[in-house]
Amino acid sequence: MSKYITTPIYYVNGEAHIGHAYTTFIADTLARYERLKGEDTFFLTGTDEHGQKIEESAAKNNKPTQQFADEISATFKNLWDEFDISYDKFIRTTDEDHMRGVQKAFEVMYEKGDIYKDFYEGHYCVSCETFFPETQLVDGEFCPDCGRSTNIVKEESYFFRLSNYEDKLLKYYAEHEDFIMPRSRANEVINFVKGGLRDLSVTRTSFSWGVKMPSSLNDDKHVMYVWLDALLNYITALGYGGDEANMNYWPADIHFVGKDILRFHAIYWPAFLMSLDLPLPKHIGAHGWWTRDGEKMSKSKGNVVSPKEVADAYGAENLRYFMLREVPFGQDGDFSQRAFIDRINSELSNDLGNLLNRIIGMSGKYSDFEIDSVDVVKYHSKELEAMNAVLDSLDSFLEKLQPHRYLEELWKLFAIGNGVIQESEPWVKMKNGQKDEALATVAVVANILAKAAVMLHPVMPKTTNTIADALAFEINTESYKELVVDKKLLKVFNIKKVPPLFPRVEEPLMQEAPKAEPTPIVKEEKKSKPVAQEDDNLIEIGQFFETSLKVGTVVEAEEVPKSKKLLKLQIDLGEESNRQVVAGIKEFYSPQDLIGTQVCVVANLKPAKLMGMMSAGMLLAAKDEDGLCLIRPEKPKKAGTPVG
Ligand code: ME8
């Protein structure tokens, strides 16, 4: 049976950060694991290069769009090559054959009657490349996903009949419980679909940087919507619409994605595939979000972790190990040098590295580096049994997408190895003339190390090749079958000396991230490591306090001309006596109602322009079918008093 594993294709509007690296590491680990087991595996990654966002980024950088895309795409490819990512294909959505495949798919959907032409009027978020209905906007203006300002766009558009697929999708989710992994993420998708699906605009006329329409439609005004273009990469990479030689890999076994793009993969993509009469992917694996030292990473904060910088400082494979071990798949995770260094020193250097060094040292001293498993069963059947139990349990953890548990279990092997040395004290046995027993202990540990190296190989390919080199064998499907499946022991061999694999790290090797200005409570919270939550909807208290809420007194209020919704307010926030906030509350309050009253203000919101006016903050309000009311302090409070 063949396997097909994918990462998202990354936008070429900026360079890779550790979030991108994480998705790629997980997918690469799984691909390597499947290959190790002898599966014929196709692993796809690449770059997403069309759309308004890329066009605008290129313009900002004063570069022709294609050249800009070429340059950034190359930075991703070079990084993955440097990290030894074992992709079988690196797709670019500007590849000719990809674009032909997208046009073909569009034609098929059109001929089927799933695509029709109409007009679209709506609020468009360029950053998310998504239209939102007014009801979903924050404050009547802002994107519910990224918080940026949206633009009103009216244009002719082709629509995909997503609404036709509502029932089919719900049926599919119900019948395939493990389609969305982890399961805790499935509900948000199901509820979204149950809330009703509107037809999806799948072309744009407001810019030209996209896949052209199929010539059969003879409609040059439009280019394809970037998400239609992007999602189709998973089949065009296999030759869809052209030389279909690799289509036998379809359906994908798993698409790895961040939780931010789960909806596109679990709703739109299956609907497109149903329309194309193609089978659906077996799993969508949605992972959580990485922060740095508990803070959201962003260019403006200057705290984005560059995977290249981390790899140069600590080693790329150590980073792979850390990211996979640190966070349960699906949950949010935090990158901190302290946590990373702790794992390098205790798990990699102490548990694994020292064990190998001890074996090299003892075998050199006791038997001129020769290892022979002849007496292992006689003296160490208990350890062999424990080892085999661990080996047998491992498979299920990767199948359930639990790399952290996989590694945790795998580490039990090193505990068995270190334990048996401690208990048997081979150095005492050598002195007492019990050489056979001493050598059996060295040999059992060498066997444990060999098998552990095979199973760790998908996570740390180069490091484990060095271990295998020291133990004079090669890691491949055959040795996997012999050592892990058939549980055979190593034959007689000579150990090779290798330099220590994991030098201890005494202090941080990278500059710390610039500190944000935390409130005292946030600071206190930072002392404890954020604990991964079982329920992803829960937040740390520190996250709550990242929002600066303050009591404000409305000093001035006026209507915004030509706007049905907006009022312009000047608010006294204590230290700042005239904060301008433009709020969508005109239908519920007149300016006179507000002047002199108190409100609660989100005071650290990025300023944004609403109908040409700067707005620096947001009012807290509650809205239901009876209307909207502001949330205010129960008793008058000094302007600027923190809320929380
Ligand atoms: O969304 N933590 O591309 P993109 C964890 N082109 N993962 C993160 C992360 C973070 N802080 N930031 C990014 C796109 N990622 C589309 C995809 S697929 C047909 C089209 C990872 O460059 C995560 O996997 O914004 C997320 O889904 C992906 O990068 C988004 O990369």
Side-chain angles (χ1 to χ4, degrees):
M1 240 189 9
S2 62
K3 297 276 170 183
Y4 183 27
I5 295 166
T6 70
T7 73
I9 45 173
Y10 303 112
Y11 282 132
V12 290
N13 61 339
E15 291 187 5
H17 62 72
I18 56 158
H20 299 117
Y22 177 62
T23 325
T24 307
F25 289 158
I26 290 202
D28 185 56
T29 297
L30 210 72
R32 286 175 179 275
Y33 186 69
E34 295 297 352
R35 290 192 199 108
L36 187 63
K37 291 199 300 183
E39 302 284 359
D40 172 18
T41 302
F42 195 96
F43 170 27
L44 176 72
T45 188
T47 43
D48 188 355
E49 307 188 7
H50 288 128
Q52 192 172 358
K53 183 157 65 175
I54 310 294
E55 197 176 71
E56 286 178 0
S57 292
K60 253 189 228 149
N61 284 278
N62 288 322
K63 296 207 169 144
T65 318
Q66 184 65 59
Q67 182 193 330
F68 180 73
D70 289 347
E71 286 173 13
I72 307 269
S73 178
T75 64
F76 275 93
K77 189 160 185 289
N78 293 340
L79 184 70
W80 302 153
D81 288 342
E82 210 177 305
F83 285 0
D84 257 330
I85 301 302
S86 63
Y87 58 81
D88 294 287
K89 184 173 168 85
F90 185 97
I91 193 170
R92 301 182 53 187
T93 54
T94 49
D95 291 341
E96 285 297 331
D97 47 357
H98 165 75
M99 295 197 281
R100 266 199 310 276
V102 172
Q103 290 170 333
K104 163 86 184 178
F106 194 96
E107 260 174 341
V108 173
M109 296 179 191
Y110 185 80
E111 274 158 25
K112 196 170 175 186
D114 270 344
I115 288 182
Y116 62 93
K117 200 160 156 182
D118 202 342
F119 277 92
Y120 195 96
E121 182 165 12
H123 299 261
Y124 192 65
C125 174
V126 175
S127 176
C128 298
E129 301 277 16
T130 306
F131 275 109
F132 291 98
E134 190 148 349
T135 48
Q136 282 183 16
L137 297 182
V138 176
D139 246 13
E141 165 79 25
F142 299 105
C143 169
D145 281 354
C146 74
R148 291 187 176 83
S149 186
T150 55
N151 303 324
I152 294 186
V153 175
K154 174 165 183 176
E155 55 182 54
E156 186 186 82
S157 174
Y158 286 84
F159 286 83
F160 175 76
R161 289 189 200 280
L162 189 61
S163 55
N164 270 1
Y165 288 91
E166 216 171 285
D167 294 342
K168 291 188 191 106
L169 286 169
L170 289 173
K171 183 161 177 277
Y172 190 83
Y173 305 141
E175 286 170 0
H176 299 83
E177 287 210 338
D178 57 356
F179 175 58
I180 296 165
M181 295 174 82
R183 263 204 68 65
S184 53
R185 290 235 158 263
N187 278 347
E188 72 192 50
V189 170
I190 293 171
N191 289 339
F192 189 90
V193 177
K194 281 188 178 158
L197 293 177
R198 296 151 61 103
D199 288 351
L200 183 71
S201 159
V202 287
T203 64
R204 299 285 183 269
T205 54
S206 50
F207 59 90
S208 58
W209 186 243
V211 178
K212 308 245 172 320
M213 300 296 281
S215 52
S216 58
L217 268 87
N218 201 11
D219 200 345
D220 286 347
K221 259 199 330 216
H222 294 257
V223 293
M224 307 253 184
Y225 171 45
V226 62
W227 270 102
L228 175 68
D229 163 6
L231 288 163
L232 284 163
N233 94 88
Y234 299 128
I235 53 175
T236 61
L238 301 179
Y240 177 85
D243 162 19
E244 303 212 336
N246 279 328
M247 276 303 278
N248 60 307
Y249 285 101
W250 190 257
D253 289 271
I254 183 154
H255 294 311
F256 281 105
V257 298
K259 64 180 181 182
D260 55 324
I261 55 173
L262 173 61
R263 202 192 298 161
F264 296 94
H265 284 79
I267 301 174
Y268 299 174
W269 181 224
F272 294 157
L273 286 165
M274 286 175 180
S275 177
L276 295 172
D277 287 320
L278 285 171
L280 305 200
K282 293 182 195 146
H283 307 288
I284 312 285
H287 64 72
W289 216 238
W290 280 87
T291 50
R292 178 177 196 174
D293 300 317
E295 306 252 351
K296 199 172 167 183
M297 279 183 278
S298 78
K299 274 191 200 154
S300 55
K301 276 192 203 158
N303 67 345
V304 174
V305 188
S306 144
K308 169 100 177 84
E309 194 189 334
V310 187
D312 287 348
Y314 292 96
E317 295 204 351
N318 290 357
L319 176 62
R320 273 171 86 110
Y321 171 78
F322 170 73
M323 295 191 96
L324 264 58
R325 175 68 188 82
E326 178 78 357
V327 180
F329 183 85
Q331 295 181 11
D332 290 345
D334 188 50
F335 178 89
S336 84
Q337 292 195 76
R338 199 59 269 159
F340 190 13
I341 293 170
D342 284 351
R343 288 202 188 273
I344 292 179
N345 288 345
S346 74
E347 290 156 20
L348 294 175
S349 185
N350 272 0
D351 299 345
L352 168 54
N354 281 352
L355 190 59
L356 181 66
N357 291 344
R358 289 174 95 176
I359 290 306
I360 295 175
M362 286 194 280
S363 73
K365 241 184 178 166
Y366 307 160
S367 58
D368 201 15
F369 295 107
E370 191 176 288
I371 301 257
D372 187 342
S373 303
V374 66
D375 287 328
V376 166
V377 178
K378 181 166 158 202
Y379 293 110
H380 289 296
S381 59
K382 193 178 80 183
E383 285 76 19
L384 288 181
E385 216 173 280
M387 172 184 81
N388 288 335
V390 173
L391 290 173
D392 287 340
S393 73
L394 287 175
D395 216 23
S396 72
F397 294 113
L398 277 195
E399 249 154 46
K400 286 186 280 183
L401 285 192
Q402 299 178 329
H404 74 295
R405 289 282 295 112
Y406 179 87
L407 289 168
E408 197 179 25
E409 282 302 301
L410 184 48
W411 248 247
K412 287 188 180 160
L413 294 177
F414 305 127
I416 299 170
N418 280 308
V420 70
I421 296 178
Q422 226 49 48
E423 238 175 65
S424 310
E425 301 184 314
W427 50 93
V428 176
K429 301 233 158 75
M430 283 301 284
K431 274 193 202 141
N432 294 347
Q434 297 163 289
K435 187 170 176 182
D436 287 355
E437 259 191 86
L439 292 185
T441 304
V442 177
V444 76
V445 176
N447 276 284
I448 291 175
L449 270 170
K451 293 174 202 242
V454 173
M455 297 312 275
L456 184 58
H457 186 67
V459 181
M460 307 186 85
K462 280 191 183 155
T463 311
T464 49
N465 280 342
T466 309
I467 299 175
D469 198 33
L471 301 177
F473 78 107
E474 268 180 37
I475 301 179
N476 51 35
T477 304
E478 270 152 49
S479 55
Y480 165 78
K481 291 224 161 93
E482 264 182 39
L483 296 176
V484 179
V485 181
D486 298 340
K487 313 260 173 2
K488 291 199 180 132
L489 296 179
L490 293 166
K491 306 196 178 78
V492 182
F493 67 93
N494 273 315
I495 276 210
K496 273 190 227 149
K497 277 198 199 171
V498 290
L501 293 177
F502 308 103
R504 281 184 70 80
V505 180
E506 301 304 341
E507 56 190 44
L509 301 173
M510 283 162 40
Q511 262 194 344
E512 291 296 342
K515 281 270 165 287
E517 286 167 31
T519 63
I521 296 167
V522 172
K523 222 173 182 175
E524 215 169 86
E525 192 51 33
K526 286 279 139 51
K527 277 189 211 146
S528 61
K529 203 171 110 210
V531 185
Q533 294 286 350
E534 277 306 327
D535 178 345
D536 290 321
N537 292 325
L538 299 181
I539 60 167
E540 297 288 332
I541 181 124
Q543 281 170 278
F544 172 74
F545 283 109
E546 281 171 17
T547 313
S548 161
L549 293 174
K550 288 184 179 172
V551 173
T553 308
V554 181
V555 217
E556 282 173 40
E558 59 185 274
E559 296 191 346
V560 173
K562 288 199 209 137
S563 165
K564 272 195 255 157
K565 301 208 157 154
L566 300 178
L567 290 183
K568 187 168 86 175
L569 313 175
Q570 305 298 331
I571 300 175
D572 179 2
L573 285 179
E575 281 171 12
E576 200 182 332
S577 57
N578 259 315
R579 174 75 73 94
Q580 178 162 304
V581 173
V582 179
I585 54 173
K586 188 168 166 184
E587 291 159 280
F588 310 97
Y589 292 91
S590 70
Q592 292 69 32
D593 295 337
L594 293 169
I595 296 172
T597 67
Q598 290 204 303
V599 288
C600 292
V601 182
V602 178
N604 60 346
L605 200 64
K606 260 195 201 153
K609 265 196 177 164
L610 296 183
M611 296 198 65
M613 284 165 308
M614 282 314 285
S615 174
M618 198 175 95
L619 305 188
L620 292 194
K623 190 176 177 189
D624 63 10
E625 54 284 1
D626 296 331
L628 173 145
C629 77
L630 288 165
I631 311 290
R632 306 166 178 282
E634 192 187 6
K635 293 182 197 148
K637 285 279 156 200
K638 248 196 256 137
T641 306
V643 177

